[in-house]
Amino acid sequence: MDSVKSSAKKKFPMGRFLAWKTSDISAAGLNIIVTTYLTIYCTNYLGVSGTLVGTILLVSNFIDAITDLLAGFVIDNTHSKWGKGRPYEIGIVGMWICTALMFATPVQASQTVKVIWIFFMYTFIFGVFNTLRGAGSTAYMIRAFDNDRELVGKVGSYGGIVTTLGSMIVSLTFPIAMGAIATSAAGWTKLVALYALPLCLLGIGRFVFVKENPAIDAGAKHNKVTFQDFIQVFAKNKYVWFYAGMIVIFNVIQNMTVQTYYFTYIVGNTDILGILSIMGIMLLPLMLFMPLILKKFSVSQVIMGGAILAIAGYGVNFIAGANMGMLCAAAVLTACVNLPISYLCAVLLMDLFNYNEYKGLARLEGTTNQLAHGMSVQIGQGVGGFLLGVLLDLGGFVSSEAGAAAVQSESAISMIRYMYSLIPALLLVILIVCVHFLGKLDKEMPEIEKALQARHSQNQTEN
């Protein structure tokens, strides 16, 4: 795969960029609803214990990790008239249908039926539809934006602004609507349906309007990817492991979503939970300058710096209590690690693909993406959700079916505080170690890109 001319000499494709981001905004809104509110919906409205909910998420996400790997093989062996990754983008529709159904769990059913219903809906959302969509996303992006590393970096940086602003609408309005509508299990069903329809329609914009560039694969050999190819990458690309470790830890933190409990039992008002989302706006101007920042610092250096600031933010959370000023300041600091990991990983994945090729391995864009990213996301989500439920129960949290904020013991309140501060701070230390070793690939990239360019030129001459 040969890179086209530098994106610095081309006009930034704004229309294609905005159409591309429609799917990300839709998926971000879905993730906010599911990861932030599913557990409290189950514990406070369905009467399902936190440990049982956590177990559902853990088992489902480990199944998802397996399907992620299988999806990677599917993508690497896909060469359709629609492209390589684009056909699977339509999975956003299935994700929203299953989300609406999950929040329509039959409240009068037995607990066994509730658990099975939630398990299957959650698994279809993330283990089937999101898996296929995610497996093809990087290959789709590379071909939609001309296999240009700088252009992909700009799309990730500027895209972070668009996705954050778009998803912030959900972050701000959902807690308020929750207080007004979600006063019962039926109210939750209505509330989620109100968000599902418009966001689903928005989400198909990428599939409809953004095509893959067929020139990227022109003349390329489409050899069938085998399991042996996967084993070789698994064994010879050490950077896959460090990237995977970073993604696992990040998603454990993101999915140990205790903030709804924190604002229910410590702050005492969930309506103002959305205010923390506004704090993300303060960092958005930084994303405008990210392409310039990346000319002086590597992606891994930016992530490491953000992680250090986030640790400080979680320290502030530990002493904040119900002080909204301190909680808002902490939200700004903790977001410093979220933006680069959320929106710049495509650049790191491109480096992993190029490293594969440099070492004489198959590029395995789909499989490497799923091994390093997709599987790691699922494992992190599962462990994060599991820890949330288990730690709540260890702290003595009391579940109910009435939707009322039951009186909790001092140990339960303390556990909620720890999950909102000290525990994620400790996990970020592990993330920094992974990023440190991953950063060594940045130093190798100039040599790798030069070698690949020479190899591609030679192949063109021979052909």
Side-chain angles (χ1 to χ4, degrees), residues 278-291:
I278 299 177
M279 297 300 102
I281 296 177
M282 298 180 66
L283 295 178
L284 290 183
L286 184 63
M287 298 302 290
L288 287 172
F289 298 99
M290 191 59 71

Side-chain angles (χ1 to χ4, degrees), residues 4-206:
V4 294
K5 294 181 180 179
S6 174
S7 59
K9 299 180 181 179
K10 300 187 299 180
K11 183 178 180 180
F12 186 75
M14 183 58 70
R16 195 189 334 160
F17 164 74
L18 292 175
W20 177 264
K21 297 309 296 181
T22 58
S23 181
D24 290 336
I25 294 171
S26 178
L30 183 147
N31 281 317
I32 288 170
I33 293 172
V34 175
T35 61
T36 307
Y37 300 102
L38 176 61
T39 300
I40 200 167
Y41 165 70
C42 292
T43 59
N44 287 22
Y45 292 87
L46 299 181
V48 180
S49 71
T51 297
L52 189 51
V53 176
T55 302
I56 292 171
L57 302 185
L58 181 66
V59 174
S60 178
N61 278 284
F62 271 93
I63 292 174
D64 295 349
I66 297 173
T67 61
D68 277 347
L69 183 57
L70 297 175
F73 280 102
V74 172
I75 300 302
D76 284 325
N77 287 298
T78 296
H79 312 288
S80 73
K81 66 177 182 178
W82 293 96
K84 194 174 186 68
R86 186 185 178 201
Y88 305 100
E89 179 60 36
I90 200 65
I92 191 71
V93 176
M95 290 171 65
W96 274 113
I97 291 173
C98 290
T99 298
L101 291 173
M102 184 166 63
F103 282 90
T105 301
V107 68
Q108 300 300 328
S110 66
Q111 186 162 99
T112 300
V113 171
K114 293 175 185 176
V115 168
I116 293 174
W117 182 274
I118 294 166
F119 173 79
F120 275 101
M121 290 302 104
Y122 189 91
T123 301
F124 272 110
I125 293 168
F126 294 107
V128 179
F129 297 115
N130 189 57
T131 289
L132 289 170
R133 175 181 172 274
S137 62
T138 303
Y140 187 5
M141 185 179 191
I142 290 172
R143 288 160 179 79
F145 294 97
D146 305 327
N147 192 34
D148 189 316
R149 193 174 187 269
E150 184 177 349
L151 182 55
V152 169
K154 288 182 177 179
V155 170
S157 299
Y158 302 152
I161 299 174
V162 175
T163 304
T164 301
L165 287 175
S167 62
M168 194 169 293
I169 296 174
V170 177
S171 297
L172 289 172
T173 62
F174 198 91
I176 298 172
M178 180 181 72
I181 301 174
T183 56
S184 64
W188 274 98
T189 302
K190 179 180 178 181
L191 174 62
V192 174
L194 288 174
Y195 281 82
L197 181 58
L199 286 173
C200 181
L201 293 175
L202 174 68
I204 63 175
R206 176 185 294 178

Side-chain angles (χ1 to χ4, degrees), residues 7 18 38 41 58 86 121 196 201 228 251 263 265 268 280 282 300 342-343 427 437 463:
S7 59
L18 292 175
L38 176 61
Y41 165 70
L58 181 66
R86 186 185 178 201
M121 290 302 104
L201 293 175
Q228 184 62 32
N251 279 277
F263 274 73
Y265 297 101
M282 298 180 66
S300 58
S342 297
Y343 304 122
L427 290 172
F437 287 104
N463 293 331

Side-chain angles (χ1 to χ4, degrees), residues 187-229:
W188 274 98
T189 302
K190 179 180 178 181
L191 174 62
V192 174
L194 288 174
Y195 281 82
L197 181 58
L199 286 173
C200 181
L201 293 175
L202 174 68
I204 63 175
R206 176 185 294 178
F207 175 81
V208 173
F209 297 110
V210 181
K211 298 180 180 180
E212 293 187 10
N213 182 359
I216 300 300
D217 291 317
K221 294 181 179 180
H222 299 313
N223 296 324
K224 184 176 180 180
V225 174
T226 66
F227 185 72
Q228 184 62 32
D229 293 323

